[in-house]
C-alpha cells in the first residue's frame, strides 16, 4: 500500500515529485472536492485551477496546448507540469490518463464518478465548464487575448474534442460517451490499481486505497459550480470591456484617417 506520499520515496532522483495517483474521472465528477481531499492527505495535487489560477505555473497552458495539438498517445515531458505534484485530477490530466499510466507505471488510477450519474454530470458540465464552447463573449476573448486563444484551443481540442469525442451538444450521445468511458478505464486498468469512486463515499475508500490514515474532519464539500459561474460572469464582463476598448480604438483610427484624408 502507498504511504507517506510526501516523503523522499516519492521523489525522483533529481528531487522532483513523481506522480503516484492519476485521476481519470471527467471534470464535474467531484474533482474539486477530491483535489482538496488529496491535498489534505498530503498529496500535492494537480487540477485545472493549477493551470489557469496558479501564478507559479506560468507556461503550463502552453504545455497543455501543445499536448492538445499532438496526436493522441504522444508522450511529453510530463514532469514539466507535474514536478511539484504527486497526484492529478480533473482536466486536463484526465484527458491523458493512458499516456500518464505509461509514463508512471507505478501510479494508481482514481476514476471519480458523479454521485447522481451520467445525466447529472451532463447538466452540470453544460451549466459550467462548457461555456468556452457556447458563450459568445468567450469567443471575444479568444479573438482579443493570448490567454483566450490558448485556453480555447486547448479545451476545444483536448477536452471537448479528443476526450468527449465532440458529442457535448447532443445529450444522449454525451451520456453514452460518459458511460462508455467508465468501461474503457475499467478495462484498461488492473483492478488492484483502480478505485472507482464517488465523493459521497467520503474518506474511507479513498484512504484505504491510498494506504493513509483517516483524517479527523469532514470530507471537503466544495461548491465549485458557484465559483465557476462567478468566473464566467467575470469573463463576460471582461469581454464587454475589451470589446468596448477595441471598438473605441477602431473608431479612433477611422477618425484619424478621415481627418488625415480630409
Amino acid at each position: 500500500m502507498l504511504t507517506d506520499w510526501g516523503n523522499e520515496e516519492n521523489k525522483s532522483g533529481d528531487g522532483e515529485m513523481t506522480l503516484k495517483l492519476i485521476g481519470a474521472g471527467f471534470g464535474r465528477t467531484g474533482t474539486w472536492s477530491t483535489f482538496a481531499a488529496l491535498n489534505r492527505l498530503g498529496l500535492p495535487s494537480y487540477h485545472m485551477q493549477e493551470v489557469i489560477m496558479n501564478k507559479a505555473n506560468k507556461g503550463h497552458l502552453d504545455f497543455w496546448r501543445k499536448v492538445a495539438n499532438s496526436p493522441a498517445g504522444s508522450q511529453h515531458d510530463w514532469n514539466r507540469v507535474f514536478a511539484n505534484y504527486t497526484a492529478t485530477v480533473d482536466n486536463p490530466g484526465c484527458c491523458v490518463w493512458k499516456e500518464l499510466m505509461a509514463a508512471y507505471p507505478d501510479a494508481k488510477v482514481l476514476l471519480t464518478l458523479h454521485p447522481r450519474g451520467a445525466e447529472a454530470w451532463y447538466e452540470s458540465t453544460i451549466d459550467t465548464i462548457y461555456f468556452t464552447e457556447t458563450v459568445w463573449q468567450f469567443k471575444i476573448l479568444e479573438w482579443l487575448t493570448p490567454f483566450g486563444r490558448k485556453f480555447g484551443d486547448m479545451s476545444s481540442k483536448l477536452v471537448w474534442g479528443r476526450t468527449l469525442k465532440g458529442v457535448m451538444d447532443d445529450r444522449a450521445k454525451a451520456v453514452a460517451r460518459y458511460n462508455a468511458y467508465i468501461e474503457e478505464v475499467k478495462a484498461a486498468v488492473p483492478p488492484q490499481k483502480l478505485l472507482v469512486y464517488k465523493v459521497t463515499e467520503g474518506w474511507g475508500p479513498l484512504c484505504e486505497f491510498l494506504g493513509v490514515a483517516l483524517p479527523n474532519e469532514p470530507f471537503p464539500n466544495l461548491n465549485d459550480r458557484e465559483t465557476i459561474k462567478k468566473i464566467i460572469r467575470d469573463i463576460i464582463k471582461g469581454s464587454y470591456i475589451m470589446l468596448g476598448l477595441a471598438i473605441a480604438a477602431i473608431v479612433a483610427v477611422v477618425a484619424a484617417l478621415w481627418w488625415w484624408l480630409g
Side-chain angles (χ1 to χ4, degrees), residues 177-248:
R177 173 59 187 150
Y178 177 93
N179 291 324
Y181 180 85
I182 293 171
E183 298 309 313
E184 289 174 15
V185 176
K186 288 180 179 179
V189 184
Q192 69 274 16
K193 296 183 68 173
L194 174 66
L195 175 64
V196 180
Y197 177 72
K198 299 176 182 178
V199 291
T200 48
E201 298 177 77
W203 291 114
L206 187 61
C207 291
E208 181 179 358
F209 182 63
L210 300 176
V212 298
L214 287 165
N216 186 25
E217 61 185 72
F219 191 88
N221 182 20
L222 303 183
N223 185 9
D224 54 344
R225 180 181 291 211
E226 285 307 311
T227 301
I228 292 171
K229 291 177 80 68
K230 181 182 183 302
I231 292 172
I232 295 172
R233 290 193 295 270
D234 290 343
I235 287 174
I236 290 174
K237 290 177 183 177
S239 69
Y240 283 135
I241 293 171
M242 297 199 71
L243 181 61
L245 292 173
I247 292 173

Side-chain angles (χ1 to χ4, degrees), residues 59-72 74-78 80 96 150 153-155 157-158 162:
H60 282 213
L61 184 54
D62 289 316
F63 175 89
W64 288 109
R65 190 185 189 191
K66 179 181 177 182
V67 172
N69 284 281
S70 300
S74 299
Q75 285 295 336
H76 301 266
D77 182 10
W78 302 111
R80 281 189 56 192
V96 291
K150 293 175 183 179
D153 186 51
M154 183 274 289
S155 60
K157 292 176 179 176
L158 184 61
R162 183 185 305 178

Side-chain angles (χ1 to χ4, degrees), residues 3-254:
T3 57
D4 295 331
W5 288 71
N7 69 16
E8 293 299 320
E9 294 179 359
N10 294 311
K11 296 182 180 180
S12 61
D14 56 10
E16 294 180 339
M17 294 285 190
T18 184
L19 210 59
K20 294 290 185 179
L21 185 67
I22 299 166
F26 287 159
R28 309 308 301 158
T29 58
T31 49
W32 204 345
S33 293
T34 305
F35 166 75
L38 292 172
N39 279 299
R40 170 61 184 83
L41 293 174
L43 285 74
S45 298
Y46 201 78
H47 180 283
M48 181 63 86
Q49 75 168 30
E50 295 296 295
V51 180
I52 62 176
M53 298 176 68
N54 188 337
K55 294 182 179 179
N57 289 341
K58 184 178 180 180
H60 282 213
L61 184 54
D62 289 316
F63 175 89
W64 288 109
R65 190 185 189 191
K66 179 181 177 182
V67 172
N69 284 281
S70 300
S74 299
Q75 285 295 336
H76 301 266
D77 182 10
W78 302 111
N79 281 343
R80 281 189 56 192
V81 291
F82 295 129
N84 296 318
Y85 303 89
T86 56
T88 179
V89 293
D90 196 68
N91 299 310
C94 70
C95 300
V96 291
W97 64 272
K98 290 181 181 178
E99 292 87 337
L100 295 180
M101 280 184 63
Y104 302 94
D106 294 329
K108 290 189 174 184
V109 177
L110 177 66
L111 177 60
T112 49
L113 304 180
H114 195 289
R116 293 185 287 113
E119 293 277 355
W121 162 79
Y122 179 78
E123 292 173 2
S124 177
T125 301
I126 289 295
D127 192 41
T128 55
I129 59 176
Y130 195 56
F131 79 94
T132 57
E133 299 293 296
T134 59
V135 175
W136 66 265
Q137 291 91 342
F138 184 79
K139 302 305 176 183
I140 294 174
L141 292 186
E142 288 188 278
W143 178 43
L144 294 175
T145 69
F147 170 80
R149 286 189 293 275
K150 293 175 183 179
F151 189 77
D153 186 51
M154 183 274 289
S155 60
S156 179
K157 292 176 179 176
L158 184 61
V159 181
W160 311 121
R162 183 185 305 178
T163 307
L164 272 301
K165 307 296 185 185
V167 298
M168 287 302 295
D169 290 332
D170 186 313
R171 174 188 287 265
K173 290 182 179 179
V175 167
R177 173 59 187 150
Y178 177 93
N179 291 324
Y181 180 85
I182 293 171
E183 298 309 313
E184 289 174 15
V185 176
K186 288 180 179 179
V189 184
Q192 69 274 16
K193 296 183 68 173
L194 174 66
L195 175 64
V196 180
Y197 177 72
K198 299 176 182 178
V199 291
T200 48
E201 298 177 77
W203 291 114
L206 187 61
C207 291
E208 181 179 358
F209 182 63
L210 300 176
V212 298
L214 287 165
N216 186 25
E217 61 185 72
F219 191 88
N221 182 20
L222 303 183
N223 185 9
D224 54 344
R225 180 181 291 211
E226 285 307 311
T227 301
I228 292 171
K229 291 177 80 68
K230 181 182 183 302
I231 292 172
I232 295 172
R233 290 193 295 270
D234 290 343
I235 287 174
I236 290 174
K237 290 177 183 177
S239 69
Y240 283 135
I241 293 171
M242 297 199 71
L243 181 61
L245 292 173
I247 292 173
I250 292 171
V251 169
V253 169
V254 170

